[in-house]
Amino acid sequence: MKNIYLNIYKPNYVNVKKAKKNINNNNIIAMPTETVYGLAGNAYSNKAIKKIFYLKKRPNFNPLIIHFKSLKDLKKDAIINDSFLKLYKNFCPGPITFVLNKNPKSNISNLATANKNTIAVRFPKHKITKKLLKILNVPLAAPSANISSKLSPTCAADVIDEFGDKIKFVLDGGVCKIGLESTIVDLTGKPILLRHGSITAEEINKVLNKKIKIGKKLKKIKSPGQLKSHYYPGIPVFMNKRGPLINGAFITFGKKNKNTKNIFNLSKKGILKKFANNLYSTMRKIKKRGYTSISVRKIPDYGIGSAINERLKKASYKWKM
Ligand code: TXA
Ligand code: MG
């Protein structure tokens, strides 16, 4: 049998150049970022974008994030404003995505932006991703490298586990430093937080000098990623639990629980960033080991805890008890 893990390429210059070649041929590659792995393609090419939607089984109304290397490049495709500049100066490159108005002169594929007049943009911080963007002449459309509504991959092997042989080129950037998708802020009007992430609402408020609206309180869903069910690990997930169900596993942090066969303590010191960083990989591990459910302890709802809770709420949506 063919070893599908052979499609994983070490992060050296030769392979970054191979990645470039793939992108220029409108092939899709998987690439690391500091948040999660992305399925990347030439953002100017309808052909490449169609492949991304097909591979991910993503509904065509759900737009992709476009990854840029510089402000200069961004301006060709998006209209920037003061709030954007403030946040950009403080957090970029880094794990934050901005929804801006699309520049009417932009050449970004309308399929990538789902025919909207807005565009989600991000400046990734991962060394290898930056190297790749630097040698490319095009921005990269890159959603998380998972089948739609499933868990995002946080290492190269997870991408292969998700897509098997369908992805021919995975650039290996190691384990993602953050492990949760970027924070998303809509800056097309009054700033709105559309997705929590490791850059927190509190940090954004400080920079903008005002309180950002939280998207979930809005009546209208602005981002299809705000759909209720998402981040599904393949078995039921339960929040705010004190232990595992029968044949299930338990994910926790803090001093109370030791690591055992089915108890996964992700940070004995109670560091939520560490918990967040290992959450998806642990959920994948639990599913692989044959447990039939995942129970998770209560997570405080501030800082990165809000991002964790947002993901868990969606992962557990179908099994509310
Ligand atoms: O950390 C991340 O952001 C990763 C890495 C690979 O960069 N990417 C990622 O992409 O999480 P994706 O496609 O899995 O999530 C992007 C979210 C979706 O919920 C989508 O609906 C939203 O961004 N989005 C994209 N364009 C938008 C737009 N114009 N307005 C509102 N939401 C938008
Ligand atoms: Mg995603």
Side-chain angles (χ1 to χ4, degrees):
M1 207 177 79
K2 197 183 156 210
N3 178 4
I4 49 179
Y5 294 98
L6 288 177
N7 290 343
I8 297 178
Y9 288 79
K10 288 203 176 84
N12 53 41
Y13 191 62
V14 173
N15 287 336
V16 174
K17 275 180 103 171
K18 277 190 190 157
K20 173 186 173 177
K21 204 170 166 199
N22 272 295
I23 295 294
N24 286 341
N25 287 334
N26 297 326
N27 294 329
I28 304 309
I29 66 161
M31 68 172 188
T33 80
E34 71 279 21
T35 57
V36 298
Y37 274 70
L39 266 194
N42 176 355
Y44 291 148
S45 156
N46 282 336
K47 194 173 159 199
I49 302 303
K50 273 187 196 159
K51 287 183 190 168
I52 293 179
F53 276 90
Y54 176 76
L55 282 165
K56 258 188 85 85
K57 303 196 172 90
R58 183 171 176 121
N60 61 7
F61 60 79
N62 193 0
L64 310 179
I65 296 176
I66 314 299
H67 298 63
F68 289 87
K69 62 167 172 265
S70 69
L71 257 189
K72 194 175 152 225
D73 282 0
L74 174 77
K75 286 178 187 166
K76 293 181 210 156
D77 296 313
I79 313 277
I80 63 169
N81 56 40
D82 285 351
S83 299
F84 164 78
L85 280 174
K86 282 185 194 156
L87 294 170
Y88 174 85
K89 274 186 196 144
N90 273 274
F91 300 122
C92 292
I96 183 162
T97 295
F98 309 99
V99 176
L100 298 170
N101 286 313
K102 198 172 174 183
N103 186 337
K105 290 182 195 147
S106 166
N107 286 323
I108 299 279
S109 157
N110 281 322
L111 301 176
T113 49
N115 287 312
K116 286 172 173 283
N117 48 20
T118 57
I119 178 171
V121 304
R122 166 157 141 68
F123 301 83
K125 196 178 185 173
H126 195 290
K127 237 167 66 185
I128 295 300
T129 326
K130 278 186 5 192
K131 265 193 190 143
L132 175 60
L133 280 166
K134 203 171 163 193
I135 61 169
L136 281 170
N137 296 319
V138 297
L140 289 173
S144 51
N146 53 281
I147 307 282
S148 207
S149 88
K150 301 255 172 75
L151 277 182
S152 298
T154 53
C155 68
D158 285 355
V159 177
I160 298 292
D161 289 346
E162 196 73 16
F163 290 99
D165 199 24
K166 288 188 186 136
I167 302 288
K168 306 286 180 216
F169 194 98
V170 182
L171 197 51
D172 191 354
V175 173
C176 299
K177 273 207 175 120
I178 293 171
L180 291 183
E181 304 81 358
S182 62
T183 306
I184 304 184
V185 287
D186 180 354
L187 300 176
T188 57
K190 270 192 184 160
I192 305 170
L193 190 98
L194 295 180
R195 181 170 76 185
H196 287 278
S198 68
I199 292 179
T200 62
E202 294 88 338
E203 288 173 292
I204 291 170
N205 290 344
K206 258 192 209 158
V207 174
L208 294 181
N209 209 9
K210 61 182 164 203
K211 219 172 165 186
I212 191 167
K213 269 194 192 175
I214 307 293
K216 69 180 174 203
K217 289 187 188 138
L218 298 175
K219 283 190 192 116
K220 209 173 122 213
I221 289 177
K222 256 226 147 175
S223 156
Q226 292 177 307
L227 296 173
K228 278 183 180 157
S229 179
H230 201 6
Y231 313 108
Y232 176 50
I235 48 176
V237 177
F238 302 101
M239 292 176 78
N240 306 325
K241 296 292 166 206
R242 288 167 187 239
L245 295 179
I246 295 169
N247 299 325
F250 182 52
I251 306 183
T252 186
F253 67 85
K255 285 186 197 128
K256 198 174 159 216
N257 297 90
K258 278 192 194 146
N259 278 307
T260 62
K261 225 174 160 188
N262 66 339
I263 301 209
F264 295 81
N265 188 328
L266 303 191
S267 171
K268 286 198 180 122
K269 287 187 183 154
I271 297 164
L272 277 185
K273 278 203 166 166
K274 200 169 162 214
F275 182 95
N277 187 222
N278 289 301
L279 180 63
Y280 289 170
S281 56
T282 305
M283 288 170 116
R284 279 179 190 274
K285 202 187 291 173
I286 289 171
K287 163 82 176 31
K288 265 193 188 164
R289 291 190 186 167
Y291 294 106
T292 53
S293 68
I294 301 172
S295 302
V296 187
R297 71 154 275 177
K298 190 172 168 66
I299 309 291
D301 206 28
Y302 57 80
I304 199 167
S306 305
I308 297 168
N309 280 328
E310 186 181 86
R311 307 313 192 267
L312 289 174
K313 245 183 224 162
K314 290 179 185 178
S316 63
Y317 179 68
K318 288 184 198 158
W319 298 279
K320 281 238 163 76
M321 294 209 306

